[in-house]
Amino acid sequence: MSSLFGGASSSSSSTTAGDLKNDVPLQPPVDDSVSDLQFSPTADFLAVASWDKKVRIYAVSEQRQCEGKAIIDFEAPALGCAWSPDGTKIAGVGADQHIRLLDLNNAGNPPQSLKAHDAPIRACKFATINQQPFLITGSWDKKVKYWDLRSDKPIAELEQQERVYAMDAKDNLLVNPQTIYKTIQSPLKFQTRVVACFKEANGFAVGSIEGRCAIQYVEEKDASSNFSFKCHREPIPNMKDGSNVYSVNAISFHPVHGTFSTSGADGTFHFWDGNAKHRLKGYPTTGQPITATAFNYQGTVFAYASCYDWSKGFQHNLQTNKPQIMLHQVNQEEVKPRPKTTGARR
């Protein structure tokens, strides 16, 4: 592993340092911290789940022009959102234990609402099973449930050992509603903050509160490619080997190149080439934690939410902490994998 990849911090080196000056804010803004960002898989729409008890849908063009289109109201903080595979429906979940589903083809009708769990629902994802879309929900009631949108009863549910804090689904990962295919001990020692499936659906990335990210393949035959690295750490001046360590809050994979981003409580985001074990680009701090990120389906716009992440309790949620969602125009050179070379990587 290269020293740059292993030791990336908030202070980017000049060769990989990016600039935030051309990033533009999403309008109209949200009123509280953002818990999830999800772009439509088929169109120029962005869904935003936030602590102000709403899931908002925006039209966001590749030129980053934006317009509010719809709002789904909740009775408690909205914690997650997901698009159906065809992009016609948006689901939201939250602390009020409900699923709310809006059909964009019938946006004039109120969202469908269903009490789905006995505790806050942390995450939701769509998956296609037998050519039919299903919604998967993960909750703090220690259950993962699979929903056929034509019924108000889950088709299956999986008991978990603990509360669901992070969840993702891609192709055949997390889409078998009958059994748990495999249980993998986290390669990271501290609490998991985020998990994201590879573009190829043969593995996933994990981020923890200890400023580390791990790349983990599902099958044993690929285990030699598993590794972890430090990120979102800031050296402490005049202290040898000392650093401030920040949580990795979000990981997003580029839909075309399969490279990925990490974002953290230090307010920075970075683009990485996991296969080459190399940081492609790092950006300076926004001044607030970054809590959620997403690429649009073309991979040309990167959205990131800069807002308080509640890691220091309510007393640090200052009035000056204004939540903001920024839109970054993706330069393809900053997300393309490095050219393959022969010989050692080190």
Coordinates of all heavy atoms in Angstrom, one line a residue, residues 192-236:
T192 N -19.1 0.5 13.1 CA -19.3 0.8 11.7 C -20.2 2.0 11.5 O -21.2 2.1 12.2 CB -20.0 -0.4 11.0 OG1 -19.1 -1.5 11.1 CG2 -20.3 -0.1 9.6
R193 N -19.8 2.9 10.6 CA -20.6 4.1 10.3 C -21.3 4.0 9.0 O -22.4 4.5 8.8 CB -19.7 5.3 10.3 CG -20.4 6.6 10.3 CD -21.0 7.0 11.6 NE -21.6 8.3 11.6 CZ -22.8 8.6 11.1 NH1 -23.6 7.7 10.6 NH2 -23.2 9.9 11.1
V194 N -20.7 3.3 8.0 CA -21.3 3.2 6.7 C -20.8 2.0 6.0 O -19.7 1.5 6.3 CB -20.9 4.5 5.9 CG1 -19.4 4.6 5.7 CG2 -21.5 4.5 4.5
V195 N -21.7 1.4 5.1 CA -21.3 0.3 4.3 C -21.8 0.6 2.9 O -22.9 1.2 2.7 CB -21.8 -1.0 4.8 CG1 -23.3 -1.0 4.9 CG2 -21.3 -2.2 4.0
A196 N -21.0 0.3 1.8 CA -21.4 0.6 0.5 C -21.0 -0.6 -0.4 O -19.8 -1.0 -0.4 CB -20.9 1.9 0.0
C197 N -21.8 -1.1 -1.3 CA -21.5 -2.2 -2.2 C -20.7 -1.7 -3.4 O -20.9 -0.6 -3.9 CB -22.8 -2.9 -2.7 SG -23.8 -3.7 -1.4
F198 N -19.8 -2.6 -3.8 CA -19.0 -2.3 -5.0 C -20.0 -2.2 -6.2 O -21.1 -2.8 -6.2 CB -18.1 -3.5 -5.4 CG -17.0 -3.7 -4.4 CD1 -16.1 -4.8 -4.5 CD2 -16.7 -2.8 -3.3 CE1 -15.1 -5.0 -3.6 CE2 -15.7 -3.0 -2.4 CZ -14.9 -4.2 -2.6
K199 N -19.6 -1.5 -7.2 CA -20.3 -1.4 -8.5 C -20.6 -2.8 -9.1 O -21.6 -3.1 -9.6 CB -19.5 -0.6 -9.5 CG -20.1 -0.5 -10.9 CD -19.2 0.4 -11.8 CE -19.7 0.4 -13.2 NZ -19.2 -0.8 -13.9
E200 N -19.6 -3.7 -8.9 CA -19.7 -5.1 -9.5 C -20.5 -6.0 -8.6 O -20.7 -7.2 -8.9 CB -18.3 -5.7 -9.7 CG -17.4 -4.9 -10.7 CD -16.7 -3.7 -10.0 OE1 -16.9 -3.5 -8.8 OE2 -16.1 -2.9 -10.7
A201 N -20.8 -5.6 -7.4 CA -21.6 -6.3 -6.4 C -20.9 -7.6 -5.9 O -21.5 -8.5 -5.4 CB -23.0 -6.7 -7.0
N202 N -19.6 -7.6 -5.9 CA -18.8 -8.7 -5.4 C -18.1 -8.4 -4.1 O -17.3 -9.2 -3.6 CB -17.8 -9.2 -6.4 CG -16.8 -8.2 -6.8 OD1 -17.0 -7.0 -6.5 ND2 -15.8 -8.6 -7.6
G203 N -18.5 -7.3 -3.5 CA -17.8 -6.9 -2.2 C -18.4 -5.6 -1.8 O -19.3 -5.0 -2.4
F204 N -17.8 -5.0 -0.7 CA -18.3 -3.8 -0.2 C -17.2 -3.1 0.5 O -16.1 -3.6 0.9 CB -19.4 -4.1 0.8 CG -19.1 -5.1 1.8 CD1 -18.6 -4.7 3.1 CD2 -19.3 -6.4 1.6 CE1 -18.3 -5.6 4.1 CE2 -19.0 -7.4 2.6 CZ -18.5 -7.0 3.8
A205 N -17.4 -1.8 0.8 CA -16.5 -0.9 1.6 C -17.2 -0.6 2.9 O -18.4 -0.4 2.9 CB -16.1 0.3 0.8
V206 N -16.4 -0.5 3.9 CA -16.9 -0.2 5.3 C -16.1 1.0 5.8 O -14.9 1.0 5.7 CB -16.7 -1.4 6.2 CG1 -17.4 -1.1 7.6 CG2 -17.3 -2.7 5.6
G207 N -16.8 1.9 6.4 CA -16.2 3.0 7.1 C -16.5 3.0 8.6 O -17.6 2.7 9.0
S208 N -15.6 3.4 9.4 CA -15.8 3.3 10.9 C -15.6 4.7 11.5 O -15.1 5.7 10.9 CB -14.9 2.3 11.6 OG -13.6 2.9 11.7
I209 N -15.9 4.8 12.8 CA -15.8 6.1 13.5 C -14.3 6.3 13.8 O -14.0 7.4 14.3 CB -16.6 6.0 14.9 CG1 -16.0 4.9 15.8 CG2 -18.0 5.9 14.6 CD1 -16.6 4.9 17.2
E210 N -13.4 5.4 13.5 CA -12.0 5.6 13.9 C -11.1 6.0 12.7 O -9.9 5.7 12.6 CB -11.5 4.2 14.4 CG -10.1 4.3 15.1 CD -9.1 3.3 14.5 OE1 -9.6 2.4 13.7 OE2 -7.9 3.3 14.9
G211 N -11.7 6.6 11.7 CA -11.0 7.1 10.6 C -10.3 6.0 9.8 O -9.2 6.2 9.4
R212 N -11.0 5.0 9.5 CA -10.5 3.9 8.7 C -11.6 3.4 7.7 O -12.8 3.5 8.0 CB -10.1 2.7 9.5 CG -8.8 2.8 10.2 CD -8.5 1.5 11.0 NE -7.3 1.7 11.8 CZ -6.0 1.4 11.4 NH1 -5.9 1.0 10.2 NH2 -5.0 1.6 12.2
C213 N -11.1 2.9 6.6 CA -12.0 2.3 5.6 C -11.5 1.0 5.2 O -10.2 0.8 5.1 CB -12.1 3.2 4.3 SG -13.1 2.6 3.0
A214 N -12.3 0.0 5.0 CA -11.9 -1.3 4.6 C -12.6 -1.7 3.3 O -13.7 -1.4 3.1 CB -12.3 -2.3 5.7
I215 N -11.8 -2.4 2.5 CA -12.3 -3.0 1.2 C -12.4 -4.5 1.5 O -11.4 -5.2 1.8 CB -11.4 -2.7 0.1 CG1 -11.2 -1.2 -0.1 CG2 -11.8 -3.4 -1.2 CD1 -12.5 -0.5 -0.5
Q216 N -13.6 -5.1 1.3 CA -13.9 -6.4 1.7 C -14.6 -7.2 0.6 O -15.7 -6.7 0.1 CB -14.8 -6.5 3.0 CG -15.0 -7.9 3.5 CD -13.8 -8.4 4.3 OE1 -13.1 -7.6 4.9 NE2 -13.7 -9.7 4.3
Y217 N -14.1 -8.3 0.1 CA -14.8 -9.1 -0.9 C -15.6 -10.2 -0.2 O -15.3 -10.6 0.9 CB -13.7 -9.7 -1.9 CG -13.2 -8.7 -2.8 CD1 -12.1 -7.9 -2.5 CD2 -13.7 -8.6 -4.1 CE1 -11.6 -7.0 -3.4 CE2 -13.2 -7.7 -5.0 CZ -12.1 -6.9 -4.6 OH -11.6 -5.9 -5.5
V218 N -16.7 -10.6 -0.9 CA -17.6 -11.5 -0.3 C -17.0 -13.0 -0.3 O -17.1 -13.7 0.7 CB -18.9 -11.5 -1.0 CG1 -19.9 -12.6 -0.5 CG2 -19.6 -10.2 -0.8
E219 N -16.4 -13.4 -1.4 CA -16.0 -14.8 -1.5 C -14.5 -14.9 -1.1 O -13.7 -14.1 -1.2 CB -16.1 -15.2 -3.0 CG -17.5 -15.1 -3.6 CD -18.5 -16.0 -2.9 OE1 -18.1 -16.9 -2.2 OE2 -19.7 -15.7 -3.0
E220 N -14.3 -16.1 -0.5 CA -13.0 -16.4 0.0 C -11.9 -16.4 -1.1 O -10.7 -16.1 -0.8 CB -13.0 -17.8 0.7 CG -13.7 -17.9 2.0 CD -13.0 -17.0 3.1 OE1 -11.8 -16.9 3.1 OE2 -13.8 -16.4 3.9
K221 N -12.2 -16.7 -2.3 CA -11.3 -16.7 -3.4 C -10.7 -15.4 -3.6 O -9.6 -15.2 -4.2 CB -11.9 -17.3 -4.7 CG -13.0 -16.5 -5.3 CD -13.6 -17.1 -6.5 CE -14.7 -16.3 -7.1 NZ -14.3 -15.0 -7.5
D222 N -11.4 -14.3 -3.2 CA -10.9 -12.9 -3.4 C -10.3 -12.3 -2.1 O -10.0 -11.1 -2.1 CB -12.0 -12.1 -3.9 CG -12.6 -12.5 -5.2 OD1 -11.8 -12.9 -6.1 OD2 -13.9 -12.5 -5.3
A223 N -10.1 -13.1 -1.1 CA -9.7 -12.6 0.2 C -8.4 -11.9 0.2 O -8.1 -11.0 1.0 CB -9.7 -13.7 1.2
S224 N -7.5 -12.3 -0.7 CA -6.2 -11.7 -0.8 C -6.3 -10.2 -1.2 O -5.3 -9.5 -1.0 CB -5.3 -12.5 -1.8 OG -5.8 -12.4 -3.1
S225 N -7.4 -9.8 -1.8 CA -7.6 -8.4 -2.2 C -8.2 -7.6 -1.1 O -8.4 -6.4 -1.3 CB -8.4 -8.4 -3.4 OG -7.8 -9.0 -4.5
N226 N -8.5 -8.2 0.1 CA -9.1 -7.4 1.2 C -8.0 -6.5 1.8 O -6.8 -7.0 2.0 CB -9.6 -8.3 2.2 CG -10.8 -9.1 1.8 OD1 -11.5 -8.8 0.8 ND2 -11.1 -10.2 2.5
F227 N -8.3 -5.3 2.2 CA -7.4 -4.5 2.9 C -8.1 -3.3 3.6 O -9.3 -3.1 3.3 CB -6.3 -3.9 1.9 CG -6.8 -2.9 0.9 CD1 -6.7 -1.6 1.2 CD2 -7.3 -3.3 -0.3 CE1 -7.2 -0.6 0.2 CE2 -7.8 -2.4 -1.2 CZ -7.7 -1.1 -1.0
S228 N -7.4 -2.6 4.5 CA -8.0 -1.5 5.1 C -7.0 -0.4 5.1 O -5.8 -0.6 5.0 CB -8.5 -1.8 6.5 OG -7.4 -2.1 7.3
F229 N -7.4 0.9 5.3 CA -6.5 2.0 5.3 C -7.0 3.1 6.1 O -8.2 3.2 6.4 CB -6.2 2.5 3.8 CG -7.4 3.0 3.1 CD1 -7.7 4.4 3.1 CD2 -8.3 2.1 2.4 CE1 -8.8 4.9 2.4 CE2 -9.4 2.6 1.7 CZ -9.7 4.0 1.7
K230 N -6.1 4.0 6.6 CA -6.4 5.1 7.4 C -6.9 6.3 6.5 O -6.3 6.5 5.4 CB -5.3 5.6 8.3 CG -4.8 4.5 9.3 CD -3.5 5.0 10.0 CE -3.0 4.0 10.9 NZ -1.8 4.5 11.6
C231 N -7.8 7.0 6.9 CA -8.2 8.2 6.2 C -8.9 9.2 7.2 O -9.3 8.8 8.3 CB -9.1 7.9 5.0 SG -10.6 6.9 5.4
H232 N -9.2 10.4 6.7 CA -9.9 11.4 7.5 C -9.2 11.5 8.9 O -9.9 11.5 9.9 CB -11.4 11.1 7.6 CG -12.0 11.0 6.3 ND1 -12.4 12.2 5.6 CD2 -12.3 10.0 5.4 CE1 -12.9 11.9 4.4 NE2 -12.8 10.6 4.3
R233 N -7.9 11.7 8.8 CA -7.1 12.0 10.0 C -6.3 13.3 9.8 O -5.9 13.5 8.7 CB -6.2 10.8 10.4 CG -7.0 9.6 10.6 CD -6.1 8.4 11.0 NE -6.8 7.2 11.3 CZ -6.5 6.3 12.2 NH1 -5.3 6.5 12.8 NH2 -7.2 5.3 12.5
E234 N -6.1 14.0 10.8 CA -5.4 15.3 10.7 C -4.2 15.4 11.7 O -4.4 15.2 12.9 CB -6.4 16.4 11.0 CG -5.9 17.8 10.8 CD -6.9 18.9 11.1 OE1 -7.5 18.8 12.2 OE2 -7.2 19.7 10.2
P235 N -3.0 15.5 11.2 CA -1.8 15.6 12.1 C -2.0 16.7 13.1 O -2.4 17.8 12.8 CB -0.7 15.8 11.1 CG -1.2 15.4 9.8 CD -2.6 15.7 9.8
I236 N -1.5 16.4 14.3 CA -1.5 17.4 15.4 C -0.1 18.1 15.3 O 0.9 17.4 15.5 CB -1.8 16.8 16.8 CG1 -3.2 16.1 16.8 CG2 -1.7 17.9 17.9 CD1 -3.4 15.4 18.1

